[in-house]
Amino acid sequence: MATEDARYRESSQYRLWSFSPTQLSALREKTNAAARARISDRLLSHPLPATSSRDLSAPTSNANTPDPDGNGNSTPALPEFLTPAEELTLVGFYISETLRASEMLHYADEIKATAAMFLKRFYITNSIMTYPPQEMLIVALFFACKVESGHVNLSEYTKTFNKSPEEVLAGEFLLCQGLRFAFDVKHPFRALRGAMMELASLKDMQADLKRLDAAEARARKILQFSPLMTDAYFHYTPSQIMLAALSLADRGLAERLIQETFHFVAMEGNSADTPGANGGAGEGNNNKNRANEEKAAIIGSHLRDKVLGAVEACRDMLSRELPERKEHWTNKPFIKTQITPLRKKLLKCKDPERWNLVELQRVRRQQKLDSDDEDDGGRKVKKEEDGDVFGGELGHSAKKRKVTVKEEDPFGEPLRKVTVKKEEDPFGGML
Amino acid sequence: MTSRKPPTTSSRGGGVTPAPTTTSSGLPTLSSDDMCPVCKTIRYLNRDMEFLINPECYHSMCSACVNRLFNEGPNQCPYAGCHRTLRRKGFRSAFFGDLSVEREVDIRRRVSQVFNQAEDDFQTLRDYNNYLQMVEDLTFDLVNGDEATKRKAEGELQQWEAEHKADIERNKRVGREQDEQSRRRLAAEREAARQRRLDAIKEAEEEKLEKIKIREAEIDNLERGGALPDQQRVQLKRRGKQAVDAAANLATSASITTTTAATDSVGKLSIRGLKEKKKEPKPEGPYDPFGGLDLQPSRYKIHPGLKHPSVEKYRLDQGHVTGGYSFEEYTSRAMFEAFAGLGVFIEDEKEVGVGLSASEVVGMGAAMAAVGGDGMDLD
C-alpha cells in the first residue's frame, strides 16, 4: 500500500534533509568544531598571513570531511571563532538577504524558497567560516533558478550582482556537494492550493469564500518567509508546515481540515458477522477488518491528535518569524549592532584556503591534473602552485576585506532588470 | 565372428614365410597377427588361425592355445611374467588391431556404465562439464596411469559404483528406455514410409486400372455410337468423386493420426530432434509501469468539485487549453502535496524509527525494565 506518507518517506528531503532538533543542533556543533580545528590548523601552519608563501605541508584535498581529532590547542595568535549560535544568526541574515534579492528580481516563490533552503542546507554541513556566505548566496540563487526551471541568463544575472560569471560557476559544484546532490526541495505552496480546494469543496464553506481567500493570502505570505527563516523544513513535512501556516492565518480552517481528514473509522466486521456467519462470510469480514485497520492507520482518529500536536509545534516555530519580522532583519540598528560585528569577526576567522572560490576551484583542477601525471616534475609544479595560491589569495582577500567592511548592504545598488516575470502563476513554474 | 585379417602384407598368396619388415639387426620379425606367441604357430601353417585376447591382461594367443590351456578351468596366462588367472569364458577376439586401443575402449565402456548421468541431471551446464571432466580424468588414470594411480582410480570407480548403485541402475533403465523409444520410433517411421510407398503404388495401379476401364467403356460407347459428351460428363463426375473421396480419406486419416497422437503421445512422434515444448507462460496482462504500486489516494478523494479561483481562469485560457495541459493533473498534485507526509513525524521517526513515538519507546523501556525487575524478584 503506497500511502501518501510512504511516498513522502521516499523523497530525498525526508531521507537526507530531515532531522530532529537535537540531531540538527548536534550536527551544527560538529560542523563548527571541525571548522575551528581545521582553520586553526591552517592558520598555525602559516602563522603570519601577511608574509608570502612558505613550505606547504598541510593537505589541501579531502578537507571537506570533518577532522575529528584536530588539535584545538589555541595559541594567542589564533583569532576568536564564531560560535554555532553566531553562525546560525549569520546564516539567518544571509537567508533574509537571499529572500530580499529574489524579491527584487521578482522570482517565483519556489525559486526564492529553494534558494533559501539550499543556503540553509549547505551551511549545516559546512561552516560559514569555511566558505564565504555572500558568494554562496549568489550561487545558491542562481542554482535554484536552474532547479526550479526558471531559466536566467548567467551574464545578465551576474551583472545584477556586479560579479563575474566565473565567480558564480566556481561555487556551483561546491554547492551541489554540500547539498548531497539532493536538489528537490518540497515546498508547501502547492499544498496550500490543494488544501484550499478541499476546503472550498465543503458544503458549508461555499458561503464563506471571502474568508478562504483572506486565509490563503495570509498563509501564503507566512509560507514565503517564516518556514525559510526557521528550521521548519528540517523538522516538519510540507503539509504540516502548510497547515501550521494556515492555522496562523485562520486557526478554524486548519482544524476543520484536520478533522475532516482524520476521523473515526468504524469496525463494521464485529456487528455484521453475528447472525449465522459461515466460513466464507467470516473470511470476507476478516478482509474487511484488515482493510478497515489499514484505513484506520492512515486516517484514524488516533492520528488526528498527533497531527494536531505536530501542527501546533510547527505553528509555534513559525510564529517566531512572522512576515512582520522581515523589517527586523533589514533595519539599520539591528544590522549595526548584531550583524556587522559578527561579519567582522567572521573575516578574521575565515578559512584562508577556502575563502576564495575561484582560486579554490583553480587549485582543485590543477591538483586533479597533477595527480593525473605522476612524475616528479609534476609534483614540484604543484607545490609551487600551492605556494602561489597563498600569496595571491591573501593579497586578494586583503583587498576584499576593505571593500566588504565598507559596504554595509550587499544589495544596495539599484537593480535594473526584472528577469522572471511572475505574479500569479498557479503552476509555480510547472509548465 | 570375424577373424582378424592381416592389415598389411598378405601371406595368402602362398610363398615362404612372410618377412615384411626387417629390423636393423636383420632378424625377421613376424607380425603378431601372423604368429601365435604362445605356440609359435604361423598363419602359413594354419589358415584359420584366430587370435583371442582376455580383457584381464590383453595378451593375445591363438584359439588353439586357448582351447588347449583353459579347457580344464582357470589357468595362468602363459606369457612370461604375467601371473593373471584367466578363464576361457573371458576370451574374445579383439575388434581393434591395436590392443591398447581395445583396452581403452573396454575401460571407457565400463566407466561410462558406472558414470551414466545425463545432462538433465545437473543444475547447470557448468556442473555437467565439471562432472565430465572428472570422469575423463578418472578414465585417463585408468588407461594411462602407472600402477599406483591405476589402482587408486579403480578403487574410486568401485566405491562410486557401490555407493550409487541405485542411481546407476535408474539411469541405465532410463537410457535403455530411451534407446528403446528411439528404436521404436525409427521402426515406426520406417514402417510408415513403407506403408506410404505401398499406398502410392497401389493408388497408381488403381488409377491405371480405372483409366483402362474408362477407355474400354469409351470404346464400348463408341461401338454403340452413344453420346460422347454424356460419357465425358460421367468421367468428370467420377473424377470429382475421386477427389472428394481422397479429401475425405485425408481428413479421416488426419483425424485418426491426431487422435492417436493425443492418446499415446509417447514414442509416436514422427519429427526427430524436437525438444519437448515448455508449457506456455500464463498471460501476464497489461504492463504495469509502477510494479503493482497502488497510487490511489487514501486520505482524500479527487472529485470534480475541487476548484481554485486562480486556476479557473487558466481553464478558459486558450494558451493553456490548446497545449493539452490537464488541469486534473494539477489538482491531483496539489491534493497529494497537501496530504502527503501529514502522518510523518520527523522528530519521532528520525530518533527512534518509523511507527513509534519517542514517548512510546520510553514507556516500552520502562515496561521491560519493570518486567525484568519482576523476573529478578521471582528468581
Side-chain angles (χ1 to χ4, degrees), chain A residues 5 9 14 20 22 190 198 216 237 239 430, chain B residues 298-299 308 333 335 337 340-341 349-351:
Chain A
D5 290 348
R9 287 199 185 93
Y14 177 79
S20 73
T22 47
R190 201 178 294 109
E198 179 72 23
E216 184 184 5
T237 62
S239 49
M430 235 174 77
Chain B
S298 52
R299 279 210 180 110
H308 196 275
R333 191 172 172 192
M335 289 301 285
E337 290 194 4
E349 292 181 10
K350 288 285 171 182
E351 295 269 331

mmCIF file with all atom_site columns, all heavy atoms in Angstrom, chain A residues 5 9 14 20 22 190 198 216 237 239 430, chain B residues 298-299 308 333 335 337 340-341 349-351:
data_model
loop_
_atom_site.group_PDB
_atom_site.id
_atom_site.type_symbol
_atom_site.label_atom_id
_atom_site.label_alt_id
_atom_site.label_comp_id
_atom_site.label_asym_id
_atom_site.label_entity_id
_atom_site.label_seq_id
_atom_site.pdbx_PDB_ins_code
_atom_site.Cartn_x
_atom_site.Cartn_y
_atom_site.Cartn_z
_atom_site.occupancy
_atom_site.B_iso_or_equiv
_atom_site.pdbx_formal_charge
_atom_site.auth_seq_id
_atom_site.auth_comp_id
_atom_site.auth_asym_id
_atom_site.auth_atom_id
_atom_site.pdbx_PDB_model_num
ATOM 1   N N   . ASP A 1 5   ? 2.029   9.041  2.933   1.00 0.00 ? 5   ASP A N   1
ATOM 2   C CA  . ASP A 1 5   ? 3.178   9.157  3.844   1.00 0.00 ? 5   ASP A CA  1
ATOM 3   C C   . ASP A 1 5   ? 4.351   8.330  3.348   1.00 0.00 ? 5   ASP A C   1
ATOM 4   O O   . ASP A 1 5   ? 5.495   8.783  3.366   1.00 0.00 ? 5   ASP A O   1
ATOM 5   C CB  . ASP A 1 5   ? 2.790   8.678  5.243   1.00 0.00 ? 5   ASP A CB  1
ATOM 6   C CG  . ASP A 1 5   ? 1.832   9.639  5.902   1.00 0.00 ? 5   ASP A CG  1
ATOM 7   O OD1 . ASP A 1 5   ? 1.667   10.750 5.360   1.00 0.00 ? 5   ASP A OD1 1
ATOM 8   O OD2 . ASP A 1 5   ? 1.254   9.284  6.935   1.00 0.00 ? 5   ASP A OD2 1
ATOM 9   N N   . ARG A 1 9   ? 8.114   9.510  2.396   1.00 0.00 ? 9   ARG A N   1
ATOM 10  C CA  . ARG A 1 9   ? 9.339   8.973  3.010   1.00 0.00 ? 9   ARG A CA  1
ATOM 11  C C   . ARG A 1 9   ? 10.380  8.584  1.974   1.00 0.00 ? 9   ARG A C   1
ATOM 12  O O   . ARG A 1 9   ? 11.536  8.398  2.294   1.00 0.00 ? 9   ARG A O   1
ATOM 13  C CB  . ARG A 1 9   ? 9.006   7.749  3.869   1.00 0.00 ? 9   ARG A CB  1
ATOM 14  C CG  . ARG A 1 9   ? 8.314   8.126  5.156   1.00 0.00 ? 9   ARG A CG  1
ATOM 15  C CD  . ARG A 1 9   ? 8.390   7.045  6.205   1.00 0.00 ? 9   ARG A CD  1
ATOM 16  N NE  . ARG A 1 9   ? 7.610   7.413  7.357   1.00 0.00 ? 9   ARG A NE  1
ATOM 17  C CZ  . ARG A 1 9   ? 6.342   7.056  7.535   1.00 0.00 ? 9   ARG A CZ  1
ATOM 18  N NH1 . ARG A 1 9   ? 5.747   6.297  6.656   1.00 0.00 ? 9   ARG A NH1 1
ATOM 19  N NH2 . ARG A 1 9   ? 5.687   7.454  8.616   1.00 0.00 ? 9   ARG A NH2 1
ATOM 20  N N   . TYR A 1 14  ? 13.115  13.866 2.906   1.00 0.00 ? 14  TYR A N   1
ATOM 21  C CA  . TYR A 1 14  ? 12.940  13.099 4.135   1.00 0.00 ? 14  TYR A CA  1
ATOM 22  C C   . TYR A 1 14  ? 14.190  12.288 4.450   1.00 0.00 ? 14  TYR A C   1
ATOM 23  O O   . TYR A 1 14  ? 14.648  12.247 5.582   1.00 0.00 ? 14  TYR A O   1
ATOM 24  C CB  . TYR A 1 14  ? 11.745  12.156 4.001   1.00 0.00 ? 14  TYR A CB  1
ATOM 25  C CG  . TYR A 1 14  ? 11.553  11.272 5.216   1.00 0.00 ? 14  TYR A CG  1
ATOM 26  C CD1 . TYR A 1 14  ? 10.949  11.758 6.355   1.00 0.00 ? 14  TYR A CD1 1
ATOM 27  C CD2 . TYR A 1 14  ? 12.021  9.961  5.225   1.00 0.00 ? 14  TYR A CD2 1
ATOM 28  C CE1 . TYR A 1 14  ? 10.797  10.969 7.464   1.00 0.00 ? 14  TYR A CE1 1
ATOM 29  C CE2 . TYR A 1 14  ? 11.873  9.171  6.336   1.00 0.00 ? 14  TYR A CE2 1
ATOM 30  C CZ  . TYR A 1 14  ? 11.255  9.670  7.455   1.00 0.00 ? 14  TYR A CZ  1
ATOM 31  O OH  . TYR A 1 14  ? 11.116  8.900  8.561   1.00 0.00 ? 14  TYR A OH  1
ATOM 32  N N   . SER A 1 20  ? 15.765  15.575 13.618  1.00 0.00 ? 20  SER A N   1
ATOM 33  C CA  . SER A 1 20  ? 15.118  16.011 14.849  1.00 0.00 ? 20  SER A CA  1
ATOM 34  C C   . SER A 1 20  ? 15.927  17.193 15.380  1.00 0.00 ? 20  SER A C   1
ATOM 35  O O   . SER A 1 20  ? 17.099  17.360 15.025  1.00 0.00 ? 20  SER A O   1
ATOM 36  C CB  . SER A 1 20  ? 15.101  14.869 15.855  1.00 0.00 ? 20  SER A CB  1
ATOM 37  O OG  . SER A 1 20  ? 16.393  14.670 16.348  1.00 0.00 ? 20  SER A OG  1
ATOM 38  N N   . THR A 1 22  ? 17.424  17.831 18.118  1.00 0.00 ? 22  THR A N   1
ATOM 39  C CA  . THR A 1 22  ? 18.695  17.514 18.779  1.00 0.00 ? 22  THR A CA  1
ATOM 40  C C   . THR A 1 22  ? 19.739  17.103 17.745  1.00 0.00 ? 22  THR A C   1
ATOM 41  O O   . THR A 1 22  ? 20.900  17.518 17.832  1.00 0.00 ? 22  THR A O   1
ATOM 42  C CB  . THR A 1 22  ? 18.499  16.361 19.778  1.00 0.00 ? 22  THR A CB  1
ATOM 43  O OG1 . THR A 1 22  ? 17.750  15.335 19.147  1.00 0.00 ? 22  THR A OG1 1
ATOM 44  C CG2 . THR A 1 22  ? 17.788  16.835 21.010  1.00 0.00 ? 22  THR A CG2 1
ATOM 45  N N   . ARG A 1 190 ? 2.150   24.616 -3.183  1.00 0.00 ? 190 ARG A N   1
ATOM 46  C CA  . ARG A 1 190 ? 1.093   23.949 -3.934  1.00 0.00 ? 190 ARG A CA  1
ATOM 47  C C   . ARG A 1 190 ? 0.161   23.197 -2.986  1.00 0.00 ? 190 ARG A C   1
ATOM 48  O O   . ARG A 1 190 ? -1.030  23.067 -3.253  1.00 0.00 ? 190 ARG A O   1
ATOM 49  C CB  . ARG A 1 190 ? 1.694   22.991 -4.964  1.00 0.00 ? 190 ARG A CB  1
ATOM 50  C CG  . ARG A 1 190 ? 0.721   22.685 -6.070  1.00 0.00 ? 190 ARG A CG  1
ATOM 51  C CD  . ARG A 1 190 ? 1.300   21.788 -7.125  1.00 0.00 ? 190 ARG A CD  1
ATOM 52  N NE  . ARG A 1 190 ? 2.376   22.395 -7.879  1.00 0.00 ? 190 ARG A NE  1
ATOM 53  C CZ  . ARG A 1 190 ? 3.650   22.047 -7.778  1.00 0.00 ? 190 ARG A CZ  1
ATOM 54  N NH1 . ARG A 1 190 ? 4.001   21.090 -6.955  1.00 0.00 ? 190 ARG A NH1 1
ATOM 55  N NH2 . ARG A 1 190 ? 4.569   22.646 -8.488  1.00 0.00 ? 190 ARG A NH2 1
ATOM 56  N N   . GLU A 1 198 ? -9.787  21.683 -1.213  1.00 0.00 ? 198 GLU A N   1
ATOM 57  C CA  . GLU A 1 198 ? -10.540 20.751 -0.394  1.00 0.00 ? 198 GLU A CA  1
ATOM 58  C C   . GLU A 1 198 ? -11.531 21.516 0.488   1.00 0.00 ? 198 GLU A C   1
ATOM 59  O O   . GLU A 1 198 ? -12.701 21.139 0.611   1.00 0.00 ? 198 GLU A O   1
ATOM 60  C CB  . GLU A 1 198 ? -9.563  19.933 0.470   1.00 0.00 ? 198 GLU A CB  1
ATOM 61  C CG  . GLU A 1 198 ? -10.188 18.938 1.407   1.00 0.00 ? 198 GLU A CG  1
ATOM 62  C CD  . GLU A 1 198 ? -10.754 17.738 0.682   1.00 0.00 ? 198 GLU A CD  1
ATOM 63  O OE1 . GLU A 1 198 ? -10.289 17.468 -0.437  1.00 0.00 ? 198 GLU A OE1 1
ATOM 64  O OE2 . GLU A 1 198 ? -11.659 17.083 1.243   1.00 0.00 ? 198 GLU A OE2 1
ATOM 65  N N   . GLU A 1 216 ? -5.977  32.261 2.695   1.00 0.00 ? 216 GLU A N   1
ATOM 66  C CA  . GLU A 1 216 ? -4.946  31.766 1.783   1.00 0.00 ? 216 GLU A CA  1
ATOM 67  C C   . GLU A 1 216 ? -3.879  32.829 1.562   1.00 0.00 ? 216 GLU A C   1
ATOM 68  O O   . GLU A 1 216 ? -2.679  32.539 1.578   1.00 0.00 ? 216 GLU A O   1
ATOM 69  C CB  . GLU A 1 216 ? -5.562  31.357 0.449   1.00 0.00 ? 216 GLU A CB  1
ATOM 70  C CG  . GLU A 1 216 ? -4.517  30.748 -0.456  1.00 0.00 ? 216 GLU A CG  1
ATOM 71  C CD  . GLU A 1 216 ? -5.049  30.401 -1.831  1.00 0.00 ? 216 GLU A CD  1
ATOM 72  O OE1 . GLU A 1 216 ? -6.208  30.712 -2.119  1.00 0.00 ? 216 GLU A OE1 1
ATOM 73  O OE2 . GLU A 1 216 ? -4.269  29.821 -2.601  1.00 0.00 ? 216 GLU A OE2 1
ATOM 74  N N   . THR A 1 237 ? 7.042   18.167 7.768   1.00 0.00 ? 237 THR A N   1
ATOM 75  C CA  . THR A 1 237 ? 6.790   17.902 6.348   1.00 0.00 ? 237 THR A CA  1
ATOM 76  C C   . THR A 1 237 ? 6.055   19.090 5.748   1.00 0.00 ? 237 THR A C   1
ATOM 77  O O   . THR A 1 237 ? 5.441   19.872 6.475   1.00 0.00 ? 237 THR A O   1
ATOM 78  C CB  . THR A 1 237 ? 5.938   16.639 6.196   1.00 0.00 ? 237 THR A CB  1
ATOM 79  O OG1 . THR A 1 237 ? 4.692   16.859 6.829   1.00 0.00 ? 237 THR A OG1 1
ATOM 80  C CG2 . THR A 1 237 ? 6.615   15.448 6.832   1.00 0.00 ? 237 THR A CG2 1
ATOM 81  N N   . SER A 1 239 ? 3.291   19.428 4.249   1.00 0.00 ? 239 SER A N   1
ATOM 82  C CA  . SER A 1 239 ? 1.871   19.548 4.547   1.00 0.00 ? 239 SER A CA  1
ATOM 83  C C   . SER A 1 239 ? 1.663   20.048 5.975   1.00 0.00 ? 239 SER A C   1
ATOM 84  O O   . SER A 1 239 ? 0.741   20.829 6.245   1.00 0.00 ? 239 SER A O   1
ATOM 85  C CB  . SER A 1 239 ? 1.170   18.209 4.330   1.00 0.00 ? 239 SER A CB  1
ATOM 86  O OG  . SER A 1 239 ? 1.861   17.188 4.967   1.00 0.00 ? 239 SER A OG  1
ATOM 87  N N   . MET A 1 430 ? 5.615   25.102 -13.219 1.00 0.00 ? 430 MET A N   1
ATOM 88  C CA  . MET A 1 430 ? 5.480   23.694 -13.627 1.00 0.00 ? 430 MET A CA  1
ATOM 89  C C   . MET A 1 430 ? 5.353   23.556 -15.133 1.00 0.00 ? 430 MET A C   1
ATOM 90  O O   . MET A 1 430 ? 5.730   22.549 -15.706 1.00 0.00 ? 430 MET A O   1
ATOM 91  C CB  . MET A 1 430 ? 4.237   23.111 -12.983 1.00 0.00 ? 430 MET A CB  1
ATOM 92  C CG  . MET A 1 430 ? 4.490   21.856 -12.181 1.00 0.00 ? 430 MET A CG  1
ATOM 93  S SD  . MET A 1 430 ? 3.001   21.402 -11.365 1.00 0.00 ? 430 MET A SD  1
ATOM 94  C CE  . MET A 1 430 ? 2.092   20.699 -12.684 1.00 0.00 ? 430 MET A CE  1
ATOM 95  N N   . SER B 2 298 ? -5.379  7.838  -0.381  1.00 0.00 ? 298 SER B N   1
ATOM 96  C CA  . SER B 2 298 ? -6.080  7.188  0.720   1.00 0.00 ? 298 SER B CA  1
ATOM 97  C C   . SER B 2 298 ? -6.643  8.196  1.713   1.00 0.00 ? 298 SER B C   1
ATOM 98  O O   . SER B 2 298 ? -7.497  7.852  2.518   1.00 0.00 ? 298 SER B O   1
ATOM 99  C CB  . SER B 2 298 ? -5.150  6.229  1.438   1.00 0.00 ? 298 SER B CB  1
ATOM 100 O OG  . SER B 2 298 ? -3.967  6.891  1.793   1.00 0.00 ? 298 SER B OG  1
ATOM 101 N N   . ARG B 2 299 ? -6.143  9.411  1.686   1.00 0.00 ? 299 ARG B N   1
ATOM 102 C CA  . ARG B 2 299 ? -6.607  10.389 2.680   1.00 0.00 ? 299 ARG B CA  1
ATOM 103 C C   . ARG B 2 299 ? -7.629  11.342 2.096   1.00 0.00 ? 299 ARG B C   1
ATOM 104 O O   . ARG B 2 299 ? -8.300  12.037 2.808   1.00 0.00 ? 299 ARG B O   1
ATOM 105 C CB  . ARG B 2 299 ? -5.424  11.218 3.163   1.00 0.00 ? 299 ARG B CB  1
ATOM 106 C CG  . ARG B 2 299 ? -4.626  10.523 4.187   1.00 0.00 ? 299 ARG B CG  1
ATOM 107 C CD  . ARG B 2 299 ? -3.970  11.471 5.143   1.00 0.00 ? 299 ARG B CD  1
ATOM 108 N NE  . ARG B 2 299 ? -3.231  10.661 6.073   1.00 0.00 ? 299 ARG B NE  1
ATOM 109 C CZ  . ARG B 2 299 ? -1.916  10.610 6.105   1.00 0.00 ? 299 ARG B CZ  1
ATOM 110 N NH1 . ARG B 2 299 ? -1.206  11.345 5.313   1.00 0.00 ? 299 ARG B NH1 1
ATOM 111 N NH2 . ARG B 2 299 ? -1.317  9.816  6.957   1.00 0.00 ? 299 ARG B NH2 1
ATOM 112 N N   . HIS B 2 308 ? -10.127 25.989 -7.756  1.00 0.00 ? 308 HIS B N   1
ATOM 113 C CA  . HIS B 2 308 ? -9.479  27.127 -7.124  1.00 0.00 ? 308 HIS B CA  1
ATOM 114 C C   . HIS B 2 308 ? -9.641  28.312 -8.055  1.00 0.00 ? 308 HIS B C   1
ATOM 115 O O   . HIS B 2 308 ? -9.411  28.185 -9.261  1.00 0.00 ? 308 HIS B O   1
ATOM 116 C CB  . HIS B 2 308 ? -7.998  26.829 -6.885  1.00 0.00 ? 308 HIS B CB  1
ATOM 117 C CG  . HIS B 2 308 ? -7.382  27.783 -5.927  1.00 0.00 ? 308 HIS B CG  1
ATOM 118 N ND1 . HIS B 2 308 ? -6.897  28.987 -6.313  1.00 0.00 ? 308 HIS B ND1 1
ATOM 119 C CD2 . HIS B 2 308 ? -7.189  27.712 -4.587  1.00 0.00 ? 308 HIS B CD2 1
ATOM 120 C CE1 . HIS B 2 308 ? -6.429  29.621 -5.240  1.00 0.00 ? 308 HIS B CE1 1
ATOM 121 N NE2 . HIS B 2 308 ? -6.591  28.870 -4.179  1.00 0.00 ? 308 HIS B NE2 1
ATOM 122 N N   . ARG B 2 333 ? -2.035  16.769 -8.093  1.00 0.00 ? 333 ARG B N   1
ATOM 123 C CA  . ARG B 2 333 ? -0.721  17.028 -7.499  1.00 0.00 ? 333 ARG B CA  1
ATOM 124 C C   . ARG B 2 333 ? -0.847  17.930 -6.271  1.00 0.00 ? 333 ARG B C   1
ATOM 125 O O   . ARG B 2 333 ? -0.222  17.680 -5.236  1.00 0.00 ? 333 ARG B O   1
ATOM 126 C CB  . ARG B 2 333 ? 0.178   17.690 -8.550  1.00 0.00 ? 333 ARG B CB  1
ATOM 127 C CG  . ARG B 2 333 ? 1.609   17.739 -8.100  1.00 0.00 ? 333 ARG B CG  1
ATOM 128 C CD  . ARG B 2 333 ? 2.531   18.210 -9.186  1.00 0.00 ? 333 ARG B CD  1
ATOM 129 N NE  . ARG B 2 333 ? 3.871   18.422 -8.637  1.00 0.00 ? 333 ARG B NE  1
ATOM 130 C CZ  . ARG B 2 333 ? 4.838   19.047 -9.277  1.00 0.00 ? 333 ARG B CZ  1
ATOM 131 N NH1 . ARG B 2 333 ? 4.639   19.487 -10.477 1.00 0.00 ? 333 ARG B NH1 1
ATOM 132 N NH2 . ARG B 2 333 ? 6.001   19.206 -8.713  1.00 0.00 ? 333 ARG B NH2 1
ATOM 133 N N   . MET B 2 335 ? -3.431  18.234 -4.388  1.00 0.00 ? 335 MET B N   1
ATOM 134 C CA  . MET B 2 335 ? -4.063  17.482 -3.304  1.00 0.00 ? 335 MET B CA  1
ATOM 135 C C   . MET B 2 335 ? -3.063  16.533 -2.660  1.00 0.00 ? 335 MET B C   1
ATOM 136 O O   . MET B 2 335 ? -3.022  16.380 -1.439  1.00 0.00 ? 335 MET B O   1
ATOM 137 C CB  . MET B 2 335 ? -5.265  16.690 -3.842  1.00 0.00 ? 335 MET B CB  1
ATOM 138 C CG  . MET B 2 335 ? -6.437  17.536 -4.216  1.00 0.00 ? 335 MET B CG  1
ATOM 139 S SD  . MET B 2 335 ? -7.059  18.484 -2.855  1.00 0.00 ? 335 MET B SD  1
ATOM 140 C CE  . MET B 2 335 ? -7.904  17.219 -1.919  1.00 0.00 ? 335 MET B CE  1
ATOM 141 N N   . GLU B 2 337 ? 0.150   16.873 -2.479  1.00 0.00 ? 337 GLU B N   1
ATOM 142 C CA  . GLU B 2 337 ? 1.117   17.596 -1.646  1.00 0.00 ? 337 GLU B CA  1
ATOM 143 C C   . GLU B 2 337 ? 0.469   18.103 -0.371  1.00 0.00 ? 337 GLU B C   1
ATOM 144 O O   . GLU B 2 337 ? 1.138   18.220 0.661   1.00 0.00 ? 337 GLU B O   1
ATOM 145 C CB  . GLU B 2 337 ? 1.723   18.755 -2.446  1.00 0.00 ? 337 GLU B CB  1
ATOM 146 C CG  . GLU B 2 337 ? 2.627   18.243 -3.528  1.00 0.00 ? 337 GLU B CG  1
ATOM 147 C CD  . GLU B 2 337 ? 3.510   19.323 -4.116  1.00 0.00 ? 337 GLU B CD  1
ATOM 148 O OE1 . GLU B 2 337 ? 3.469   20.461 -3.636  1.00 0.00 ? 337 GLU B OE1 1
ATOM 149 O OE2 . GLU B 2 337 ? 4.242   19.003 -5.069  1.00 0.00 ? 337 GLU B OE2 1
ATOM 150 N N   . ALA B 2 340 ? 0.276   14.600 1.677   1.00 0.00 ? 340 ALA B N   1
ATOM 151 C CA  . ALA B 2 340 ? 1.413   13.681 1.817   1.00 0.00 ? 340 ALA B CA  1
ATOM 152 C C   . ALA B 2 340 ? 2.253   14.084 3.011   1.00 0.00 ? 340 ALA B C   1
ATOM 153 O O   . ALA B 2 340 ? 2.564   15.259 3.203   1.00 0.00 ? 340 ALA B O   1
ATOM 154 C CB  . ALA B 2 340 ? 2.257   13.721 0.556   1.00 0.00 ? 340 ALA B CB  1
ATOM 155 N N   . GLY B 2 341 ? 2.616   13.113 3.806   1.00 0.00 ? 341 GLY B N   1
ATOM 156 C CA  . GLY B 2 341 ? 3.525   13.394 4.913   1.00 0.00 ? 341 GLY B CA  1
ATOM 157 C C   . GLY B 2 341 ? 2.843   13.980 6.122   1.00 0.00 ? 341 GLY B C   1
ATOM 158 O O   . GLY B 2 341 ? 3.515   14.356 7.074   1.00 0.00 ? 341 GLY B O   1
ATOM 159 N N   . GLU B 2 349 ? 10.461  9.863  14.181  1.00 0.00 ? 349 GLU B N   1
ATOM 160 C CA  . GLU B 2 349 ? 10.969  8.834  13.274  1.00 0.00 ? 349 GLU B CA  1
ATOM 161 C C   . GLU B 2 349 ? 12.483  8.883  13.158  1.00 0.00 ? 349 GLU B C   1
ATOM 162 O O   . GLU B 2 349 ? 13.132  7.848  13.052  1.00 0.00 ? 349 GLU B O   1
ATOM 163 C CB  . GLU B 2 349 ? 10.326  8.997  11.907  1.00 0.00 ? 349 GLU B CB  1
ATOM 164 C CG  . GLU B 2 349 ? 8.842   8.662  11.959  1.00 0.00 ? 349 GLU B CG  1
ATOM 165 C CD  . GLU B 2 349 ? 8.185   8.793  10.608  1.00 0.00 ? 349 GLU B CD  1
ATOM 166 O OE1 . GLU B 2 349 ? 8.909   8.949  9.625   1.00 0.00 ? 349 GLU B OE1 1
ATOM 167 O OE2 . GLU B 2 349 ? 6.951   8.720  10.569  1.00 0.00 ? 349 GLU B OE2 1
ATOM 168 N N   . LYS B 2 350 ? 13.030  10.084 13.145  1.00 0.00 ? 350 LYS B N   1
ATOM 169 C CA  . LYS B 2 350 ? 14.486  10.165 12.997  1.00 0.00 ? 350 LYS B CA  1
ATOM 170 C C   . LYS B 2 350 ? 15.190  9.727  14.269  1.00 0.00 ? 350 LYS B C   1
ATOM 171 O O   . LYS B 2 350 ? 16.335  9.281  14.238  1.00 0.00 ? 350 LYS B O   1
ATOM 172 C CB  . LYS B 2 350 ? 14.894  11.596 12.643  1.00 0.00 ? 350 LYS B CB  1
ATOM 173 C CG  . LYS B 2 350 ? 14.528  11.989 11.234  1.00 0.00 ? 350 LYS B CG  1
ATOM 174 C CD  . LYS B 2 350 ? 15.442  11.348 10.210  1.00 0.00 ? 350 LYS B CD  1
ATOM 175 C CE  . LYS B 2 350 ? 14.931  11.587 8.807   1.00 0.00 ? 350 LYS B CE  1
ATOM 176 N NZ  . LYS B 2 350 ? 15.720  10.956 7.769   1.00 0.00 ? 350 LYS B NZ  1
ATOM 177 N N   . GLU B 2 351 ? 14.512  9.861  15.398  1.00 0.00 ? 351 GLU B N   1
ATOM 178 C CA  . GLU B 2 351 ? 15.174  9.477  16.644  1.00 0.00 ? 351 GLU B CA  1
ATOM 179 C C   . GLU B 2 351 ? 15.048  7.987  16.907  1.00 0.00 ? 351 GLU B C   1
ATOM 180 O O   . GLU B 2 351 ? 16.005  7.345  17.301  1.00 0.00 ? 351 GLU B O   1
ATOM 181 C CB  . GLU B 2 351 ? 14.564  10.266 17.820  1.00 0.00 ? 351 GLU B CB  1
ATOM 182 C CG  . GLU B 2 351 ? 14.818  11.766 17.750  1.00 0.00 ? 351 GLU B CG  1
ATOM 183 C CD  . GLU B 2 351 ? 16.095  12.160 18.477  1.00 0.00 ? 351 GLU B CD  1
ATOM 184 O OE1 . GLU B 2 351 ? 16.457  11.464 19.425  1.00 0.00 ? 351 GLU B OE1 1
ATOM 185 O OE2 . GLU B 2 351 ? 16.713  13.158 18.081  1.00 0.00 ? 351 GLU B OE2 1
#
